[in-house]
Amino acid sequence: MELTKEQRDMLEGKRGNAVKKSMSILVALGEIYGAKRLIPVTSVQISGVSYDNLGDAGLEFLDEMAKDGKARVKTTLNPAGMDMENWKALGIDPGFAEKQKLVIEAFEKMGVEATCTCTPYFIGNKPKFGDHIAWGESSAVTYANSVLGAKTNKEGGPSSIASALTGFTPEYGLHLDENRQAQFVVEVKAKVGNPMLFGALGNVVGKLAKGRIPLITGIKKTTTEDLKALSASIVTYGGAPLFHIKEITPNKTKIPKERIVVNQKDIDNAVKEMNDAEDVEFIFLGCPHCSMEEIKNIAKLLKGKKVRKELWIGVARPIKRIADEVGYSKIIEESGAKFACDTCHVVAPLKGRFTSIATNSAKGIFYGRGKNNFKTIFRTLEECIRLAVEE
Ligand code: F3S
């Protein structure tokens, strides 16, 4: 791989140990994938932030990198294992909390913004069309590639840290336009009019895609929340972290010959398959983390009501702060629902605490089952709120 003088200096340790280690990670990755060079990135999002996933070995690696490593580009974090302020209310063990705080401190020492969210594009880490970036969380990667038109592979924890500390990533995969072309057409002949149903569509298309990139047709309009849900689902269920929707998403693509029709029955079957619980103990909304519009809607639905089940709302802290100012947080908290800023039902240590979950997220269903053995109920946001408040 060709390196510039600056990159060679980094690799030889002239910019410190953390940069040297970072450069060796990026060069090794580039060589594995046949990259010709390293290219600058404008933004990084680091995954692997929960102590539940990192453990002590991960924490040691971060401490080592934090000794002399500093982020060179805008860098934010994926959700952590707990709400960094409100962890007690969410029932997190103090021993876990102590370790999670050390993880965040190590990142802060590296100059990383400690906003832990899978929707960094709602809080100012929003790349422009054509930007090369190095993001880690799969739904955010898919949204950035497909909806914003930025270019990123799905980075692991170490490689995203390495990009933050050097400002570079190897040029391969989805950084190259020839790898961003649709490989088959999906004709949607079904009604998908809300984020839950876009999640179901992602389930169907992801399974059909098997790692390929679809061009989806037959969708007339979408909201940001629909596209957020589709981004999370399609990659979870087997698609590449990039899709195109005719006349909606901004990337240009060739039109492939292969066509597959998705009809109403396919969507209905996917919804049915994601429901296997009779009753629900725990409800999670905000997978991926809620937009301001969703918080507003949740506040409207909870106004004057009391929740009778554990209801968590996943959201980036800066969005929660705006909700505090405009009064939505007060309405939501008065109902007994809890904000889960900085975290979510998948990265928090929840195994064994609940047996079932209701959510409007197809991705949330997949990991609720896979990571926490939850039985699942898959409903719209409105129906999830109804389940939370009903006697
Ligand atoms: Fe985000 Fe957690 Fe869902 S990281 S996409 S809320 S599984």
Side-chain angles (χ1 to χ4, degrees), residues 78-79 118 137 139 232 284 286-289 344-347 363 367:
N78 207 37
C118 46
E137 199 279 323
S139 75
F284 188 90
C287 173
H289 277 173
C344 78
H345 63 307
V346 171
V347 293
K363 175 177 179 176
Y367 287 103

Side-chain angles (χ1 to χ4, degrees), residues 138-319:
S138 64
S139 75
V141 166
T142 310
Y143 190 94
N145 274 324
S146 313
V147 181
L148 303 179
K151 298 175 184 179
T152 178
N153 292 313
K154 195 176 116 33
E155 299 295 341
S159 66
S160 54
I161 294 169
S163 287
L165 302 189
T166 60
F168 296 106
T169 195
E171 187 183 37
Y172 71 95
L174 293 177
H175 289 287
L176 299 167
D177 286 342
E178 66 263 32
N179 297 331
R180 297 175 60 88
Q181 304 300 310
Q183 292 159 293
F184 69 114
V185 175
V186 177
E187 277 179 53
V188 178
K189 295 189 171 171
K191 273 195 188 159
V192 278
N194 62 48
M196 175 216 159
L197 291 175
F198 270 90
L201 176 65
N203 173 321
V204 175
V205 176
K207 284 175 181 165
L208 290 169
K210 297 193 184 79
R212 296 179 304 155
I213 300 166
L215 166 60
I216 302 171
T217 66
I219 304 277
K220 296 215 167 42
K221 84 179 179 2
T222 55
T223 63
T224 298
E225 292 73 21
D226 295 334
L227 293 169
K228 168 167 82 82
L230 181 62
S231 298
S233 176
I234 206 162
V235 66
T236 296
Y237 287 93
L242 168 62
F243 60 83
H244 305 276
I245 305 182
K246 195 176 170 209
E247 283 164 19
I248 289 183
T249 54
N251 295 293
K252 287 209 173 83
T253 178
K254 289 179 194 144
I255 314 282
K257 285 207 177 83
E258 183 185 338
R259 282 176 185 261
I260 302 178
V261 173
V262 169
N263 55 37
Q264 194 62 48
K265 201 158 166 251
D266 298 316
I267 299 292
D268 293 347
N269 285 344
V271 170
K272 201 166 158 213
E273 192 278 323
M274 284 187 274
N275 281 282
D276 65 0
E278 300 277 297
D279 207 359
V280 66
E281 288 182 345
F282 173 50
I283 295 141
F284 188 90
L285 298 170
C287 173
H289 277 173
C290 285
S291 66
M292 200 60 223
E293 198 53 36
E294 286 171 309
I295 295 292
K296 181 179 161 190
N297 193 17
I298 292 168
K300 193 175 101 196
L301 293 162
L302 284 175
K303 195 166 186 183
K305 306 227 169 73
K306 286 279 172 228
V307 300
R308 290 177 168 78
K309 309 256 165 66
E310 185 85 358
L311 167 60
W312 290 12
I313 295 154
V315 66
R317 189 167 299 283
I319 300 279

